[in-house]
Amino acid sequence: MEHINMKWTTNLETIRAAAVNPATIEHWFKLVEAQFNQYHFEPQNIYGMDESGFPFGTGQPVKVVTRKTRKCQHIQRDGNHKNVSVIVTICANDTSLPPTVIFQAWEVKDDWHIGDPLKASDKGSWGSMTSSAHATHILQGLDVVAFAALKAAWMTARDAWNAKNWPKTLNKDTFLQVYGAAHVQALMKETILSSFAKTGIWPFNPDIISPEQLAPSIEHSTSAQLPLPVPSPIKRVMYLHNQLMSQHFEHENSPDDFDESQDIHMHECDDSGIILDPALGPRLDPTLHTPVTPTRDQAMPPAFARAQRRAVDALKSSFSFSSSSSFIVSSSPLQSTFKLPEHAYGRVADLPKVDWSLTKTPTKPWRSQKEVEESESAVRAQLKAAEDKEKSTKKKREVAKEWKKFKGIQDAMLTKWQEEKAQHKAARELIPKAPKVVLKKDWMREKYPEMLIELTAGGSGNGDRSEGEDEEMEA
């Protein structure tokens, strides 16, 4: 337990974790070293510049001294999420330039400069300093050292100003007054020199980045083992390829021809020299010759051609002695009793047939704009007619259903009247007046006059349709 401790985690974007890897860091320091070698920079000519935002009313929590019994200690802030961007420029000779402050406004007011101890600029010219993409948290000195101290000093100065001037809140008129004090307090000589030293810029130190800082990029490294072990024949071919790629010769550094009686193992060495696989033949020492890649217009040196043929012969010989690769160089037909395993997920589904008609050129591959518009209008008219017809059919069914219900009530009243009529007639009493019978034409004229006109225009001269016609209309 003495070697471990609890720590607060900090967020690191995946793209930044992948960017800080050994390859990119090595490339970055090579570029920096080339610039130093070419221009011989002095400390007073090396600058670091970066931008950061300083919020008016938000920030990180701070540690305070309070009673043990207190569960929660609040810090009062106005919650203003607006911020001012500041471009900070430091120099490797432990100095800094006046910052450039970027206010979000159409124009800068003179009142915003009152109380500014830095004489900060809101105009000025722009310079540039290029760093490796997504690696500024490791290679940019301001991000690594200076901004942490500057943000802490800014929060302390801002909270102190708010407490002193409450209920006033910090704004653009008083920003430079508060920020200037934090800027002077944070960017001291030690902080500026540490910003360049911890990133290896000055003094120049390409080994400043520790393996612990590169650890997050391990999962994104391109150097990895294959998921399956490589068979022996593939290993032999890969070894042969590496051997041949290292055996390029200059014409003047190689003999015009090798003596046929020359020992092909003349370049072998002991364990302290070149390691040679006896099954693959000789390996020439690439340090004895100046590497050169033959081009189409440059004939291959005879020495390289002979070494290539000897290596291929040695490869064939090594294949013939291995049970896993002998079939590659054997002249007999390949025969095996090994049964291939069945598919893990059952029978493979048949692929759909290819519709080759899609590759044929249509008889009329293009249409004019007028034809397209006419076709679109026709389709829209058809869709509108189908929609109107569906609405009309639905309405007719609803009307037929309602008429059927009304007619059922009317027929029941007539049936009841006929029964009462028979009873009164048998008793020689006065027969009651018959109920009024409403024809369908009159019923529709009262309730659905528009549909009556439609039915009449469709060829129906009788508004009082029969029950069979009602059922037909309902259907």
Side-chain angles (χ1 to χ4, degrees):
M1 296 296 291
E2 60 184 13
H3 300 291
I4 60 176
N5 193 10
M6 299 292 293
K7 293 286 186 180
W8 289 100
T9 60
T10 57
N11 294 330
L12 179 63
E13 298 178 5
T14 303
I15 192 171
R16 288 184 174 272
V20 183
N21 57 72
T24 57
I25 298 301
E26 181 183 1
H27 179 68
W28 161 252
F29 280 107
K30 284 183 178 179
L31 295 177
V32 175
E33 184 178 15
Q35 295 295 317
F36 279 135
N37 294 336
Q38 181 178 358
Y39 298 104
H40 305 287
F41 290 120
E42 296 296 332
Q44 63 270 18
N45 297 325
I46 302 174
Y47 289 87
M49 181 181 69
D50 200 1
E51 173 271 340
S52 186
F54 294 85
F56 285 117
T58 60
Q60 299 294 330
V62 294
K63 283 187 177 181
V64 295
V65 179
T66 184
R67 294 194 303 270
K68 287 185 178 181
T69 56
R70 188 184 296 273
K71 294 183 179 180
C72 180
Q73 178 63 54
H74 295 285
I75 179 170
Q76 184 174 344
R77 291 167 178 162
D78 62 358
N80 187 357
H81 290 272
K82 293 183 179 180
N83 67 79
V84 175
S85 298
V86 179
I87 300 177
V88 180
T89 306
I90 57 176
C91 184
N93 65 348
D94 71 47
T95 61
S96 62
L97 299 181
T100 300
V101 181
I102 304 174
F103 289 106
Q104 184 179 0
W106 288 103
E107 59 181 0
V108 178
K109 298 181 180 180
D110 294 336
D111 295 343
W112 296 352
H113 292 277
I114 297 177
D116 176 17
L118 302 174
K119 304 302 180 184
S121 172
D122 53 5
K123 302 176 182 177
S125 59
W126 286 86
S128 64
M129 181 176 180
T130 305
S131 179
S132 180
H134 305 295
T136 55
H137 63 291
I138 296 294
L139 303 178
Q140 171 59 272
L142 287 166
D143 282 345
V144 175
V145 179
F147 276 160
L150 183 57
K151 289 292 183 71
W154 158 253
M155 289 176 54
T156 302
R158 182 199 60 189
D159 293 342
W161 188 94
N162 286 334
K164 180 179 179 181
N165 297 274
W166 189 88
K168 294 182 180 180
T169 57
L170 190 66
N171 52 30
K172 296 175 183 178
D173 295 339
T174 53
F175 173 81
L176 289 176
Q177 176 185 351
V178 179
Y179 172 79
H183 188 98
V184 173
Q185 178 186 354
L187 296 185
M188 296 183 295
K189 177 180 178 180
E190 295 78 9
T191 304
I192 296 176
L193 294 178
S194 178
S195 299
F196 288 96
K198 286 194 174 182
T199 52
I201 300 299
W202 188 267
F204 181 72
N205 182 11
D207 300 324
I208 192 66
I209 308 301
S210 65
E212 182 180 354
Q213 293 174 290
L214 302 176
S217 68
I218 294 178
E219 296 182 359
H220 307 278
S221 175
T222 57
S223 176
Q225 298 294 331
L226 293 176
L228 296 176
V230 180
S232 298
I234 298 179
K235 291 182 180 179
R236 290 185 172 89
V237 173
M238 293 170 61
Y239 186 81
L240 171 63
H241 178 268
N242 294 334
Q243 291 290 86
L244 292 177
M245 290 298 101
S246 64
Q247 297 183 27
H248 300 300
F249 301 92
E250 286 283 1
H251 290 282
E252 61 271 13
N253 294 335
S254 300
D256 291 340
D257 201 357
F258 277 358
D259 186 0
E260 294 292 345
S261 63
Q262 187 175 0
D263 184 9
I264 63 174
H265 301 290
M266 61 178 294
H267 296 285
E268 288 185 351
C269 297
D270 54 11
D271 295 337
S272 61
I274 304 172
I275 300 176
L276 173 67
D277 186 351
L280 293 179
R283 175 182 178 180
L284 302 182
D285 187 358
T287 61
L288 300 178
H289 307 280
T290 303
V292 62
T293 303
T295 61
R296 292 185 177 180
D297 299 331
Q298 179 182 3
M300 182 181 295
F304 181 78
R306 290 181 179 276
Q308 186 180 29
R309 288 197 297 269
R310 290 197 302 269
V312 172
D313 293 340
L315 181 65
K316 290 182 180 180
S317 176
S318 65
F319 276 0
S320 62
F321 289 104
S322 174
S323 59
S324 61
S325 59
S326 59
F327 69 92
I328 299 177
V329 295
S330 176
S331 58
S332 59
L334 178 63
Q335 296 179 353
S336 176
T337 57
F338 177 74
K339 183 180 179 181
L340 295 175
E342 297 182 358
H343 198 276
Y345 301 101
R347 181 178 176 276
V348 180
D350 296 333
L351 295 176
K353 294 183 179 180
V354 179
D355 187 3
W356 296 106
S357 62
L358 300 176
T359 61
K360 296 180 180 179
T361 304
T363 56
K364 191 174 182 181
W366 60 271
R367 292 187 299 172
S368 64
Q369 181 178 356
K370 184 178 180 181
E371 291 176 341
V372 173
E373 291 176 352
E374 292 176 352
S375 176
E376 182 182 2
S377 300
V379 172
R380 290 181 181 275
Q382 292 176 1
L383 293 175
K384 184 66 169 59
E387 184 179 359
D388 294 343
K389 183 178 180 181
E390 183 179 358
K391 290 181 179 179
S392 177
T393 303
K394 184 178 180 181
K395 185 66 175 177
K396 289 179 180 179
R397 290 176 179 175
E398 293 176 355
V399 172
K401 187 176 181 181
E402 189 176 351
W403 163 250
K404 190 173 182 179
K405 181 179 179 181
F406 177 80
K407 191 173 183 299
I409 297 174
Q410 184 174 254
D411 292 344
M413 292 174 60
L414 288 173
T415 303
K416 183 178 179 181
W417 175 79
Q418 289 176 356
E419 293 176 354
E420 292 178 354
K421 177 183 177 182
Q423 293 176 2
H424 286 286
K425 191 174 182 179
R428 296 182 180 276
E429 296 178 355
L430 183 62
I431 298 175
K433 187 177 180 181
K436 182 181 179 181
V437 178
V438 180
L439 300 178
K440 187 175 182 180
K441 178 177 62 176
D442 301 330
W443 177 81
M444 291 190 64
R445 183 181 291 110
E446 180 182 355
K447 285 203 162 192
Y448 303 100
E450 69 281 357
M451 292 194 65
L452 180 62
I453 297 174
E454 181 182 348
L455 293 173
T456 304
S460 176
N462 185 11
D464 189 10
R465 296 195 175 194
S466 63
E467 184 176 355
E469 290 174 335
D470 290 339
E471 292 177 356
E472 182 179 356
M473 186 174 71
E474 183 180 2

